[in-house]
Amino acid sequence: MGLLIVGTVALDSVETPFGKADRVLGGSGTFASFAASFFSVPKLVGVVGEDFPESYLELLRSRAVDTAGVVKEKGKTFYWAGKYETDVNVRTTLTTELNVLQTFNPVIPEKFRDSSYLFLANIDPKLQLKVLDQCSGLKFTVMDTMNYWIENTREALDRVLGRVDAVLLNDEEARMLTGTPVLQKAADSILKSFPSMKIVIIKKGEHGAMMFSREGFFALPGYPLDVVKDPTGAGDSFAGGFIGWISRADSTDEVTLRQAVAAGSATASFCCEDFSVDRFRTLDSSELKRRAASIRNCTEFASLDW
Amino acid sequence: MGLLIVGTVALDSVETPFGKADRVLGGSGTFASFAASFFSVPKLVGVVGEDFPESYLELLRSRAVDTAGVVKEKGKTFYWAGKYETDVNVRTTLTTELNVLQTFNPVIPEKFRDSSYLFLANIDPKLQLKVLDQCSGLKFTVMDTMNYWIENTREALDRVLGRVDAVLLNDEEARMLTGTPVLQKAADSILKSFPSMKIVIIKKGEHGAMMFSREGFFALPGYPLDVVKDPTGAGDSFAGGFIGWISRADSTDEVTLRQAVAAGSATASFCCEDFSVDRFRTLDSSELKRRAASIRNCTEFASLDW
């Protein structure tokens, strides 16, 4: 039932209409681990630099995230700076400094290699392949990617896609990957091209998420938030909640997968309420349960009969 | 229980990646009436010109739409020409010729004036006010509008908003109307500014619909369509299905309103499958029921308990 997450651990500087945060804890691996920690005990593999505050690693450990796989290398931590407009769907990247991520070679600690569940957060597909090569006994693997890899390392990306069970994409990426604008067809195309792929999840930010499988279709609308202070990490939080739920249930049947999407949505909805992982620091299970129940309630309607 | 719809009856020329349609039946009143006709017997008020084919009126009557309020004036019918890109969310208006719509003065036939339910499709707010002035005994009124009226006739628009029970907006219009990008806050702001407003529905095209009321929130994700030949009229079809269901149920309790959103979504999902109202011509109730059941099924998930 072990859950392994491989992704970035970063320092982010974020500016939104609600304020600024300078060199706060960020990274896909970070957000996914925090989110997953509400349901499971994630093991995180990543790389940081000498400038990475020990207190940030402590923060992860305080959520019972196993950070034995987070190595500290000479040099600086991966750094990202971005700015969101009044319409927080509009984001500009101001700086991306790969730093130690440039030469990251993910080594999965021996004790993590028999994990049953794996989330390959958005990193170079060649590194995602290296991770897959080091694991044995995986029951279900989820990957994330981004337009940069789709455009520049398509061959390696296709090899990863051929070895995972689920892929997370936003609608732009789904269209870019398949060349078709209709999302249903894009998902069908991916399932057809990659026979071992079971699930395509299209994350649509404020518009919710859609899960396509060979059995059918499931979707949740976006949950309307009163406060959107910083959307950074919402997608990775969704992923973490999703794989965290699956890991906890130790199942990937249809019932569990649908619950997993709901778990991901509920968790991600809190991420946006504050900068970095700050909202997760005060979030407790009962709030998360209430959010999941609200999400369930907000799509219920009586059968139409006439 | 009578349902009155006041909107445009138009000739549309549409080009999409799937083909072209020249001077086909269109208009907000048309689409809304067709959609509503699956649940109720709508009475339509609108204006056409001398060039309007009688066969198009026959088409409406074949769906048992009462066209006694559609007047024929000297001049040409309202004409719209548009083009959709490969991404059908991108639409360009090539031509808008108001023609007889320029001098449209909606006169509600005597026998329609005691209708219980009214849909004021997207027309000049000053005309929407004229319609409201002619009706008595209305139980529930829904209005639609567009960015043009929000920008140019705000005072009249506010007067209509102050007299209706529900307003339909897309997300861009909701933001424009209230000056706030967060949709939850935009809806709250509208409900606060207009005390008799009960419902704000934000239509999000392929991303579904959200219904905000003073009681809470309901949303449905977009239904993934295999075929999107022509999205023209989808929003108006949603409105027609919505008010059609309400009229049939003769109720606006929470259960009925949620069903109405589902009825609107189901109906609108068929509209896109062909040009003009052509898909509605072959659509029967059993298909519509299956679609509504699919929509219900695609958001269901078991309670999260842990």
Side-chain angles (χ1 to χ4, degrees), chain B residues 38 63 267 270 278-285 287-288:
Chain B
F38 288 97
R63 288 292 319 168
T267 315
F270 284 105
D278 289 354
R279 186 58 180 95
F280 287 152
R281 298 171 68 178
T282 54
L283 180 63
D284 65 47
S285 286
E287 280 187 277
L288 201 37

Side-chain angles (χ1 to χ4, degrees), chain B residues 25 70 222 232:
Chain B
L25 178 55
V70 179
T232 310

Side-chain angles (χ1 to χ4, degrees), chain A residues 304-306, chain B residues 39 240-250 256 259-260 263:
Chain A
L304 267 62
D305 206 7
W306 77 101
Chain B
F39 308 105
F242 178 74
I243 195 70
W245 183 267
I246 285 172
S247 164
R248 187 187 170 280
D250 196 18
T256 306
Q259 288 176 314

Side-chain angles (χ1 to χ4, degrees), chain A:
Chain A
M1 288 195 301
L3 168 58
L4 174 60
I5 293 176
V6 183
T8 57
V9 181
L11 294 175
D12 288 351
S13 290
V14 182
E15 188 181 340
T16 80
F18 293 92
K20 285 182 181 186
D22 190 49
R23 298 174 70 81
V24 290
L25 178 55
S28 58
T30 298
F31 284 106
S33 299
F34 255 91
S37 73
F38 287 98
F39 308 104
S40 188
V41 183
K43 305 168 178 71
L44 177 61
V45 169
V47 64
V48 296
E50 291 159 311
D51 58 348
F52 192 76
E54 187 61 26
S55 59
Y56 286 179
L57 275 174
E58 279 307 318
L59 200 39
L60 279 158
R61 291 178 195 130
S62 74
R63 287 292 319 167
V65 175
D66 190 335
T67 59
V70 180
V71 294
K72 198 167 232 182
E73 298 281 10
K74 272 201 166 100
K76 291 185 180 177
T77 306
F78 171 45
Y79 175 67
W80 175 79
K83 184 179 175 179
Y84 293 85
E85 302 306 327
T86 306
D87 175 356
V88 291
N89 295 304
V90 181
R91 173 175 97 175
T92 312
T93 289
L94 303 172
T95 316
T96 308
E97 291 170 16
L98 295 180
N99 297 333
V100 293
L101 197 58
Q102 187 87 37
T103 51
F104 179 40
N105 181 33
V107 174
I108 311 303
E110 201 63 49
K111 58 174 181 161
F112 289 4
R113 292 186 182 200
D114 63 351
S115 298
S116 301
Y117 299 99
L118 168 64
F119 174 48
L120 290 163
N122 169 31
I123 50 173
D124 188 329
K126 297 190 203 71
L127 300 186
Q128 293 177 324
L129 287 166
K130 285 191 174 187
V131 173
L132 286 168
D133 289 341
Q134 296 175 64
C135 296
S136 61
L138 286 168
K139 291 186 188 180
F140 197 83
T141 309
V142 183
M143 73 174 285
D144 197 355
T145 189
M146 71 183 286
N147 43 8
Y148 180 85
W149 308 119
I150 298 170
E151 282 170 321
N152 295 292
T153 58
R154 186 56 190 268
E155 208 203 300
L157 182 66
D158 280 354
R159 279 187 283 143
V160 188
L161 285 163
R163 292 174 67 178
V164 300
D165 301 284
V167 59
L168 305 172
L169 300 160
N170 63 31
D171 36 6
E172 186 203 333
E173 288 153 4
R175 290 173 170 136
M176 187 187 282
L177 190 70
T178 59
T180 173
V182 180
L183 294 178
Q184 171 79 62
K185 288 194 181 300
D188 288 347
S189 167
I190 294 168
L191 290 168
K192 193 172 173 188
S193 304
F194 304 100
S196 32
M197 184 76 72
K198 299 177 182 61
I199 302 287
V200 176
I201 292 183
I202 297 179
K203 305 169 290 178
K204 305 196 295 170
E206 61 167 332
H207 300 306
M210 305 168 110
M211 176 170 72
F212 296 89
S213 71
R214 294 173 201 282
E215 280 73 52
F217 167 75
F218 172 70
L220 291 175
Y223 190 79
L225 300 173
D226 278 341
V227 176
V228 180
K229 263 196 188 167
D230 175 12
T232 310
D236 297 307
S237 299
F238 172 86
F242 177 75
I243 195 70
W245 182 267
I246 285 172
S247 164
R248 186 186 170 280
D250 196 18
S251 162
T252 50
D253 62 22
E254 181 68 16
V255 171
T256 306
L257 287 172
R258 288 183 170 217
Q259 287 176 314
V261 173
S265 293
T267 315
S269 70
F270 284 105
C271 177
C272 305
E273 288 183 10
D274 208 342
F275 289 91
S276 179
V277 292
D278 288 353
R279 185 59 181 93
F280 287 151
R281 298 171 69 179
T282 53
L283 181 63
D284 66 45
S285 285
S286 60
E287 281 188 275
L288 200 39
K289 286 177 189 183
R290 280 198 301 274
R291 179 60 50 88
S294 284
I295 288 173
R296 189 158 181 263
N297 172 266
C298 85
T299 58
E300 283 188 316
F301 64 93
S303 264
L304 267 62
D305 206 7
W306 77 101

